[in-house]
Each structure stands twice: as structure tokens, then as C-alpha cells.
Amino acid sequence: MPLQFIFNKILKYNTFLEQWKITKTCPVFKSGQTNKITDYRPISILSNFSKAFEICIQNSLFHQVKHLISIAQHGFFLGRSTLTNLSSFLQGAYQAVNSGKQLDVINTDFFRAFDKLDHGLIAQKMYNMGFHRNLVDLFTSLLEWSYTIC
């Protein structure tokens, strides 16, 4: 039960462990030319303890927010992915084309969107959604600083 003890201490003091903020970032080839850095994307590898804690928190909190997430959302839901999103889109597009309706499509790329979010704004939205101050402080602690080793 040592891990449960640590998890409980994190929750008690609303502070994420600095050691668990350390990530290892590895470049992963996307497509294109292997000699161009822009054809790679960074993948951050978290510690196993950090991931276990994240899963526990996610399992505990998801029921609080799932009613706020659109039913059309494919991320963050078990059994939904980019593949199910594409399948859903293609089905709707097929129906529109077959019935002679106009089909307009807008594609967006939220490149590094989460790197650009104001953490204070995220905290305020969490307060507004009814999250306890201690939990918001814990998330703020996690977002304050992370270390990367390559």
C-alpha cells in the first residue's frame, strides 16, 4: 500500500510530486523525410506512478464532467477514437451526398493547443464547474512546471 499512501499525501497537500513531473521526450517520425526535424513529433513519456495517479483521478472525476461533453465528442470516451470520428463523419457525408444535400467541411488543426492555454483560465473554469478548490490547486500544481529530459 505504499503507492496508496503517496497518492493520499498528494491529495492531502494538493501538490503534485516534482519527481513525477519529469518526462522523457522522444522524437517520433510522422511522415516525410527522416532528415527533417519538422517531420517528427515529440512524445512525452511519464513515470508509471504519475500515469497510475492520472488514471485514478480520471476514473474518479469523469462522471462529474461527462454530461458537459458533447455526445459527438470522440476523445476522452472509452471505445471512441480518431477512427470512430472518421467513420461517423464519412457516414454523415455519404448520407448528405446521396440525398443531394450540400456538404461543407471545415478542418482545423489545433497544433500544440494545450501548450497555449492560460492555466489560470483552466483553473477558473474548473471552479465554475464545481470542482473543489483543493483539486483545482492540485491540477494547478501539476501545470506549474514540468521537466523534460531527452
Side-chain angles (χ1 to χ4, degrees):
M1 299 293 191
L3 201 51
Q4 181 182 5
F5 175 79
I6 294 170
F7 285 2
N8 287 332
K9 288 288 185 188
I10 290 170
L11 293 170
K12 180 178 179 180
Y13 294 107
N14 312 320
T15 304
F16 199 77
L17 294 174
E18 293 296 320
Q19 297 89 336
W20 287 4
K21 293 181 185 182
I22 298 171
T23 63
K24 180 178 180 184
T25 303
C26 301
V28 175
F29 181 67
K30 294 185 298 187
S31 64
Q33 300 175 15
T34 57
N35 62 344
K36 290 179 66 179
I37 192 84
T38 56
D39 291 335
Y40 288 81
R41 65 184 171 103
I43 297 292
S44 294
I45 302 169
L46 302 171
S47 76
N48 291 335
F49 299 126
S50 178
K51 286 299 291 178
F53 185 74
E54 176 186 318
I55 290 167
C56 290
I57 294 294
Q58 193 271 340
N59 288 340
S60 299
L61 298 179
F62 185 70
H63 73 279
Q64 276 187 273
V65 297
K66 69 179 180 182
H67 69 281
L68 300 170
I69 302 173
S70 167
I71 194 70
Q73 174 75 29
H74 283 262
F76 309 109
F77 281 99
L78 188 63
R80 295 190 189 174
S81 65
T82 54
L83 186 60
T84 60
N85 186 11
L86 179 61
S87 175
S88 177
F89 166 75
L90 288 175
Q91 181 181 5
Y94 178 78
Q95 290 171 348
V97 169
N98 275 346
S99 61
K101 295 180 181 173
Q102 179 176 332
L103 176 66
D104 297 324
V105 178
I106 298 174
N107 291 309
T108 56
D109 182 6
F110 296 108
F111 177 72
R112 299 184 64 96
F114 293 106
D115 294 342
K116 295 174 173 55
L117 288 175
D118 179 340
H119 296 165
L121 181 62
I122 295 171
Q124 188 59 50
K125 287 188 175 284
M126 290 178 72
Y127 286 128
N128 294 345
M129 290 170 61
F131 285 99
H132 192 276
R133 178 172 187 82
N134 293 348
L135 186 61
V136 176
D137 289 347
L138 174 62
F139 284 132
T140 301
S141 166
L142 174 60
L143 293 171
E144 281 175 352
W145 186 255
S146 63
Y147 306 93
T148 301
I149 46 179
C150 297

